[in-house]
Amino acid sequence: MAARINPSILTADFANLERELGRIATADLVHVDVMDNHFVPNLTFGPRMVESLQRVSPLPLDVHLMIDDPDRWAPGYAEVGAFSVTFHAEAAADPVTLARRLRSLGARAGIAVKPGTAIEPYLELLPEFDQVLVMTVEPGFGGQSFIESTMPKLALLREAVSGSGLDVWLQVDGGINERTIVTAAEAGADTFVAGSSVFNAGEPAEQIALLRAAASGHVH
């Protein structure tokens, strides 16, 4: 199975985002990190910016909400056309109701967990989600180092997804490069967010191909 590569525009040139999107057109989706300076200590995009990106992006948008009160705000991102909307388990009051709302608006529903959050409470809820994002760094900033101790969570998720026959994508985000993508794929990930390693490369398209090739032989 081919690995999905979703470059994060967190490390792109914000002054030239349309051009930057064109440089990653060979990827699978564009990962958009929405941060509110409350849930994480950083501030990035909001709904209007995502709507603008939606108009010019050659690829579907994979929106990752690192925000407080996603129960209130997440549906707005589905309404502007995001392909996938992922919110944090630690921030949502009612993850299942929110996931169902996102699906009803036509988006894939994703749930994310920080490195220190246990995955076991969410395993029985997997049918409610289209994607589970295991953060492999503390959310908030790009360029951090991969936390390998998050891999057992991925292995549990892969076992649960494979055993149930569900079509749930298992995504990792943080510190993904040619080496760590293999580690994550072997643990069970099939969808990979890469920011610095793509946008800091001379040729992003070549780096995307390199990452995809490195992971694809190990994806379950």
Side-chain angles (χ1 to χ4, degrees):
M1 175 182 163
R4 283 178 286 270
I5 307 297
N6 301 3
S8 165
I9 58 172
L10 193 59
T11 44
D13 177 0
F14 284 5
N16 295 284
L17 278 175
E18 187 170 0
R19 185 197 70 194
E20 294 284 76
L21 290 169
R23 294 173 73 212
I24 58 167
T26 55
D28 294 276
L29 296 100
V30 176
H31 192 79
V32 182
D33 292 295
V34 173
M35 307 185 196
D36 64 358
N37 211 25
H38 292 279
F39 182 71
V40 290
N42 198 357
L43 186 65
T44 56
F45 314 103
R48 288 189 64 191
M49 188 68 176
V50 171
E51 189 173 12
S52 297
L53 289 170
Q54 181 74 32
R55 285 200 296 269
V56 299
S57 178
L59 298 169
L61 300 188
D62 173 36
V63 175
H64 176 196
L65 302 178
M66 288 171 265
I67 63 172
D68 285 338
D69 200 7
D71 304 77
R72 177 182 178 187
W73 299 110
Y77 291 89
E79 287 168 351
V80 298
F83 174 78
S84 177
V85 179
T86 298
F87 57 87
H88 267 266
E90 302 87 357
D94 189 344
V96 170
T97 297
L98 179 52
R100 290 175 180 175
R101 173 88 174 119
L102 293 170
R103 283 175 161 180
S104 75
L105 291 166
R108 288 174 62 86
I111 189 165
V113 290
K114 293 181 181 182
T117 300
I119 199 62
E120 285 83 352
Y122 302 98
L123 294 178
E124 64 184 31
L125 303 179
L126 284 175
E128 301 289 349
F129 300 104
D130 301 293
Q131 176 168 279
V132 180
L133 166 53
V134 173
M135 291 299 299
T136 43
V137 298
E138 288 297 333
F141 292 92
Q144 298 184 68
S145 297
F146 182 84
I147 301 173
E148 196 150 343
S149 59
T150 56
M151 293 300 96
K153 278 196 281 194
L154 263 177
L156 279 173
L157 281 162
R158 173 50 60 199
E159 185 180 359
V161 169
S162 297
S164 65
L166 293 167
D167 180 21
V168 180
W169 296 1
L170 299 184
Q171 186 177 68
V172 286
D173 179 1
I176 297 298
N177 56 35
E178 302 95 305
R179 180 185 61 80
T180 58
I181 198 169
V182 173
T183 301
E186 287 176 340
D190 52 34
T191 306
F192 305 88
V193 177
S196 306
S197 72
V198 170
F199 281 104
N200 293 344
E203 293 292 337
E206 289 181 12
Q207 183 67 8
I208 289 165
L210 191 66
L211 290 169
R212 190 181 280 126
S216 288
H218 305 277
V219 169
H220 296 252

